[in-house]
Amino acid sequence: MHDDRLLAEARLKRVLEERIRPAVYPESAPLQVTIWNAPGEPVPVAEGLAAVGSPISVGDAWGAPWGTSWLTVCGTVPAGWAGRTVEALLDLGFDPNRAGFQCEGLVYRPDGTAVKGLNPRNQWVRIGAPVAGGEQVLLHVEAASNPMILGYQPFRPTALGDRDTAGDEPLYRLERMELAVFDDTVWQLVQDLEVLGELMAELPVEGGRRWDILRAVDRALDVLDLQDVNATAAAAREQLAGVLAAPAEPSAHRISAVGHAHIDSAWLWPLRETVRKVARTTANMTALLADEPDFVYAMSQAQQYAWLKEHRPEVYAQVKKAVTEGRFVPAGGMWVESDTNMPGSEAMARQFVHGKRFFLEEFGVDNEEAWLPDTFGFAGGLPQIIKAAGAKWLLTQKISWSQINKFPHHTFLWEGIDGTRIFTHFPPVDTYNCAMLGREIAHAARNFKDKGRARHSLAPTGWGDGGGGTTREMIAKAARMRDLEGSAVVQWERPADFFARAQAEYVDPPVWVGELYLELHRATLTSQAKTKQGNRRSEHLLYEAELWSATAAVRTGLPYPHQELDRLWKTVLLHQFHDILPGSSIAWVHREAEAVYAAVAADLTAIIERAQRALAGDPAAGGEVVFNAAPHARAGVPARAGRLTPAGAGGCTVTAAHGGGWLLDNGLVRVRVDARGLVVSVHDVDNDRETVPAGAAANLLQIHPDFPNKWDAWDVDQFYRNTVVDLTELDEMTVVADGPDAVAVRVVRSFGQSTATQTLTLVAGEKRLAVDTEVDWREREKFLKAAFPLDIHTDRYAAETQYGHIFRPTHTNTSWEAAKFEACNHRFVHLAEPGWGVAVVTGSTYGHDVTRAVRADGGTTTTVRLSLLRAPRFPDPHTDQGLHRFSYALAPGADIGDAVREGYRINLPERRVPGSGDVDALVELDNDAVVATAVKLADDMGGDVVVRVYESQGGRARTRLTPSFDVRSVSVCDLLERPIDGGDTDAAQLIDGAVHIKLRPFEMVTLRLLRSVRS
Ligand SMILES: [Zn+2]
């Protein structure tokens, strides 16, 4: 037999493209369109419907960047179309090469209810099936002219990312506005041929199945009259029926398709546009669910449901109905799909608290899976949090984006830092926008690493981010792959059903211990410093606001600000979304985030001050109460308590050093700043131990060029380290504090177009060199780091994460270790030799690196570098330009407990309030290893006190929690403050009014203290 395969395949491609697809709509009639451009921001629907527009024709330009235009579309169904299926085709000028990321529309009926969205690959509106002929058609379209930020030349700086700079040049041309007859048979033929053609391409040429399909396609095209496709499509389909009916092999891979649209809560568009993106996509999906009985759709992010409820209640009502039927699935149980590297312990927990509670209250759904397909790596603290939220599964596929190492499993148990294991699945389809293409399905089956032991994987299916979700074409293709020889078996399924099945089939899954590090997007730990600072500050203010409000409520009866705290938490949680906190959004998003964080700080400070005033007593008495919110005592003030101003410790000196520079001394630590303003010695007096290796300088600012190959705001590529400039030139150095309680030296340097002013401070009684840095940052595509070379020999170091810390190697023996050249810390990193260690603590930064070198004297220098600032130019061309303030500190002689304490201290500064008396802690803990991350009143507003504690040092701990109020009973709860049935009853017992707590390493426990007397 002669081999004509390529000829036959090329025939299919051309006929499908040029003859069959165009025949889906064989007849059309134009619609009349008028347009009204809303001035400025989007207007309410009623205003858009009522506006009087002016005529616009196909081919005319419309749509200034970020504008909203209301189109009124009207026409009459031709009488001759009676009995046929008719659709309106509304092409706003979409770029068909992109599924989303551009203009979009939402179609309304004249009564203002939403019909469905318009997206690049979803441009139809069903008018009737069949029509009577002669019907009047009147539709309104709210069209959003969002610019395409990630264009054909991606990662180029653009002014389009902010309404303030985007200009008003129209971006789109109206492309197609017509009524058309829809030929279902031809459409079905297209689906048949696409499924078979795509499957065929994935099959081995040596196999018979490939040729069976090829010959069937040949026969179908032979019987198709290319001059009258519509009349002959049914006959062509008959030729394909046999190969479509051949059943799948028993060993075929099984794919649970889950309808999905990954909608980034903000990214290349502002938050307000996501509100509308969600409405458009959800309108599409509720309409599709009504048409397709087998289809199942999952939507994550409670925040997006809340937006829909507020802005498009009629669509939300459809969602509620479909949820009741089990076909629209609230997935993931988080407030947003947040970053998981940077959010602190409590914030990570509250993502689940607020997400799950919303789904419980609105739908009665108690999620058991975490759904984070796109998040940039997963911290080792997360498994315990997922479990404490009452969930047990995790889905993500992002680790498939890793640059260097291929993750060895698709289904496995992920073990966190405390030993909690979570059943985890990475969809082998390697995308969260599966389109049911043959190559995707074949890739999932081939790629699946757990073959032979497991057979099931999940495929999130649909276009996200303005693509409109799952399409009817994807559903038609999935139906053909339900039982098809040569293909994986595809079936629509709820995520929970998939997980239950996958877990049941995999009796002894492999285990991965520690974080799930994404070997990409490492610079998201640093980009947009002010967004990160806003998050860190907000998290600590929220903790303080709850602590002091609960203390004041129990002590003085001051009303607890439940609603206000709820609103502020949700605001902070929203901004932890995986393109906001990571700094990868457009300028508009980060400009707004900065303003939001400022407002959050003002509101929380007001709550804190109100509570502290209520607690501090008579402000006219002349006294001053120092409040210490930190979990450890400091300067004579117990943890979570207030004391009338304690006396200072004294003993600080600053003297001129021999050879220039200054010596700072507080009796605990002696610091030498040399003539260049660099820290060349940090001597731990008690231990007679030097921290900085001879010849090295600590707090050394270093600048690298930083121009990654792609994804500017996201990525720093390893080669950035090849070039470095040490900032050793000094403008001036001045002693700025010289008293018994504190000494400080200020150092000013200029470099490039920028200036850095640093104040190095020793405070009496504290073994810590504090560094306050102010940078006026005017560099482009540069990376600024602060280096601390340390005389420490160790092969690992600890970095704080949620409810504990994770150890990472200081070497690069393997490709896995080498790939982690930039990593995340929360408040501290800690390095130690037995008996002596050093902590570097940070007030707002997250990125860092640790490297090692061996010196000529044989000793090891381990260098910690904090990542302070970057200056990528995409998607925000002016990222991080301007004035920044950072605080960080070096604590010599610190053990891990000291590192924990210093980390809290720098993030929770004391507050001073006029008053007349001491304020006792609401709860006391007698073991510093046990840290309370939340002291609050119960969310159910019943007045119980909720305390969440964890073991912070990685060991076993017992502590007695002594409440300063009468406790009737104590229960161990989940994060949602629900008692855990049959939980670890040993963990907490109430004995003589105190709670005795026993914790495993890094174990976190939520306690609910039932008060005897209610306020
Ligand atoms: Zn995303």
Side-chain angles (χ1 to χ4, degrees), residues 262 264 337 374 432 465 577-579:
H262 179 75
D264 290 293
E337 287 183 19
D374 194 28
Y432 43 79
D465 286 339
F577 177 73
H578 67 256
D579 283 305

